[in-house]
Each structure stands twice: as C-alpha cells, then as structure tokens.
Amino acid sequence: MRRPRPARWLAVATMTLLTSAGTSALAPAQADAPTTLRETTLSARNLDRGPIGRYVALGDSYAAGPLIPVQTGTPVGCLRSDQNYPSVLARSAGFTDVTDVTCSGAVTEDMTAPQEVKLGPNPPQLDTLDGSESLVTITVGGNDIGFASIITECTARSSTNLLGAACRDFFTAGGSDELVERIDEAGDKVADVLSEIRDRAPAARVAVVGYPSILPDTGPGCYPVAPFSAGDTAYLRETEKRLNGMLAEQAAEAGMDYVDTYGPTVGHDICQLPGVKWVEGLVPTSPAAPVHPNAQGMRAMAAATGAVLGIGVAPPSSQPLGADAARSDR
C-alpha cells in the first residue's frame, strides 16, 4: 500500500521538528558596453560591476529564513527574514530594486499558485516576474519530497535501533527507496518551474541555490543531539546529496547556474557547537527554525551564491572545527 503523500515542510519553531525546506549582470566598464538587459546577459556572466535591472528571490524556508531576526515582509506567515541569503546577497551586490517573495513551506506548486499561510495567502511567486529582472534566485524542492515528515519519521524510528537503520528500512521496505522516487518526481516539477522562469524572465541570469550541509559529511552523527543512528545519519546525508544533485542536474539542463551550498557549509552542521554551527538542530540554540540555517548559515549561502555570480559577500565569522581535515576528506 502506498504511504500518504508527504506533508508540506512547515516552518514552526517547536521543540520537535515541524519545519517548513543568472544574474546577468553588470555592464562592463568599456565604452561599448551593452545597454540592454538581454545584451548584458549574453555578453557578461559575472556581477562584477553595479547590477542592472532588478533582483527577484523565489523559494522556500531555506531562502526565507524563518525566525531569524528581523522578520519582515508580507504575509507574515512566510516567516521571511531581512538576514536571509537573498537580502545579504542584494545588499552586497548593491541592488536597489529587490523583490523577495520567498515563503516558508513553499513547494513547486506555489511558484504558480497562491500559498495559504498565516495572514496570507502568498501570491504565486512567479507572478512577480515581469521581464525586467537581471537576477533570479530560487531554492525549492525540499518540501516537495516531504523533508519535515522525513525528519519526524526518522526521529521516531531511528532511536528504536541505534545499531541499525530503522528509518532507512522504513523507506525502503517495499523493495525500492521511496525517497529516491520522491526526488525523481520532484525533478520533473523543478524542471517545469525553471522553464516557466525562463519564459517570464528571458533576460535574467537564474541561480538555483541548493541546500546546505545539515548532518556531518562523514561519521556516525551526534546522537542524541541529532537523534539518528549512524546508519540513518548516512542514509539522510545521502538523501540530501541526492536532492541537491537533482537540483544541479535540472539547473544544468535549463542552462542556469547551480549554487552548491552543501560543500561550503561542511563542518557547520547541526552537530557543531553554538557559534560554529550554521544550521540549527531540532532544539535551536540561536534564532532560527529547527533544522534550518541561522543568520550565519544564511550568510554562508549568500557567499556561495556570490562566488558563482561574481558578487563579493563577506563570509560568516565562524570557522568549522577540523576544516582542513573535512576538506581533505571530500
């Protein structure tokens, strides 16, 4: 019997997890620099001068920044922070025309349909595109695979068999990996969204921004802080990597940039100490939703995006424990 479809990724800061988951650029300095958005997009792929046009940020809670001060924008149920990675990126690049419609809990369907949230709804996110954009960023897909329900399920099951992988066994009980199937299904939806973005913002540079490192990149994890057995830690880690891999593949097929935020955040996962971790655990120790980036994590995501786009973004202040060793293992 097929299990119920995964619930949306909710952005609720409780002691248990109910979480939500192109810029074309700048004109070159030469006298014969292109003067239109389309010409600039085709001739300059880095944002190394003042940006042209406007920046639109799309996506879910990993773009919105739930519970990170200061929460801003409407509807309030989107839990959007002025320290989220789009805001940090926009300030670093000098954009003055910025539209941030990111919303916690968003799935791919909410890119083209209203999303019901507290004091909502949030209008279809793609409706904000009008063709004047020089940069669009998007983070989406985690809620489509039911990331919050995955974490909740694994939290309940994994502790029953710390020497095994009860969560992995649950999702693979039918002879195939249900989470692999969910990611494959989400890939088609992401492809449709990227195609629609290109149709609505043909001159924009578009960056698909992936998800940061949530669990340690190697090793057994940190039970009970992250309440997963070693086997389930490995399974969840590989599931996130598969999700990011799908996003990278869809971005490449659409001719768009993919931003790897996983690699740059290794060593700053939920198992690290406060001040070092950039993704909070099920019980946050700094203002952020459970299992979501904190302000430092958002800055790290902005820096990774800026590195792809040619925007200088000041990195987070904290450094990973054993960073050199972590890099050498990758």
Side-chain angles (χ1 to χ4, degrees):
M1 177 180 297
R2 185 168 181 81
R3 301 185 185 91
R5 292 184 64 83
R8 289 191 173 195
W9 203 348
L10 305 176
V12 180
T14 60
M15 295 295 286
T16 59
L17 173 66
L18 292 175
T19 59
S20 20
T23 325
S24 18
L26 321 169
Q30 292 87 344
D32 59 350
T35 58
T36 68
L37 284 170
R38 180 173 294 279
E39 288 172 344
T40 301
T41 300
L42 295 174
S43 66
R45 296 300 290 171
N46 288 322
L47 294 174
D48 50 5
R49 298 283 190 276
I52 294 172
R54 61 194 288 255
Y55 168 31
V56 172
L58 312 168
D60 59 24
S61 56
Y62 270 69
L67 305 187
I68 300 173
V70 174
Q71 295 285 287
T72 187
T74 56
V76 296
C78 282
L79 301 177
R80 193 180 298 131
S81 172
D82 68 357
Q83 298 300 315
N84 62 14
Y85 82 73
S87 297
V88 175
L89 184 70
R91 289 192 292 268
S92 299
F95 275 102
T96 58
D97 187 353
V98 181
T99 303
D100 182 352
V101 291
T102 60
C103 194
S104 297
V107 296
T108 50
E109 178 183 349
D110 298 317
M111 300 301 106
T112 54
Q115 177 186 353
E116 294 298 330
V117 296
K118 183 178 180 180
L119 300 181
N122 195 44
Q125 293 192 26
L126 296 193
D127 282 3
T128 195
L129 300 175
D130 62 14
S132 67
E133 299 77 23
S134 62
L135 175 63
V136 177
T137 59
I138 181 169
T139 298
V140 75
N143 294 333
D144 288 86
I145 72 168
F147 196 43
S149 65
I150 294 168
I151 298 298
T152 302
E153 193 73 58
C154 289
T155 297
R157 292 180 178 276
S158 195
S159 295
T160 66
N161 184 8
L162 293 179
L163 298 180
C167 179
R168 180 195 63 199
D169 294 344
F170 174 75
F171 284 112
T172 60
S176 61
D177 191 328
E178 181 177 339
L179 300 189
V180 170
E181 294 174 356
R182 291 185 190 180
I183 291 171
D184 290 344
E185 291 174 3
D188 293 335
K189 299 175 182 179
V190 170
D192 290 342
V193 169
L194 298 185
S195 177
E196 187 69 18
I197 291 173
R198 179 53 68 215
D199 289 344
R200 298 191 189 205
R205 186 170 182 181
V206 182
V208 179
V209 181
Y211 294 91
S213 174
I214 298 172
L215 293 167
D217 192 49
T218 60
C222 56
Y223 187 89
V225 173
F228 314 118
S229 67
D232 283 335
T233 295
Y235 175 66
L236 292 172
R237 176 168 56 228
E238 292 308 309
T239 296
E240 186 189 0
K241 288 183 176 181
R242 184 179 293 274
L243 172 63
N244 279 330
M246 177 273 286
L247 294 175
E249 179 181 352
Q250 295 303 331
E253 290 185 0
M256 298 172 177
D257 293 298
Y258 173 71
V259 178
D260 171 24
T261 66
Y262 184 97
T265 55
V266 167
H268 296 283
D269 52 78
I270 66 176
C271 289
Q272 305 306 321
L273 294 174
V276 176
K277 64 181 171 183
W278 293 345
V279 178
E280 294 297 321
L282 270 67
V283 181
T285 57
S286 67
V291 198
H292 277 71
N294 54 32
Q296 291 283 75
M298 281 294 177
R299 177 162 290 277
M301 294 177 72
T305 305
V308 171
L309 299 175
I311 300 171
V313 178
S317 59
S318 62
Q319 295 298 318
L321 298 176
D324 293 339
R327 282 194 293 268
S328 66
D329 289 341
R330 288 185 60 78

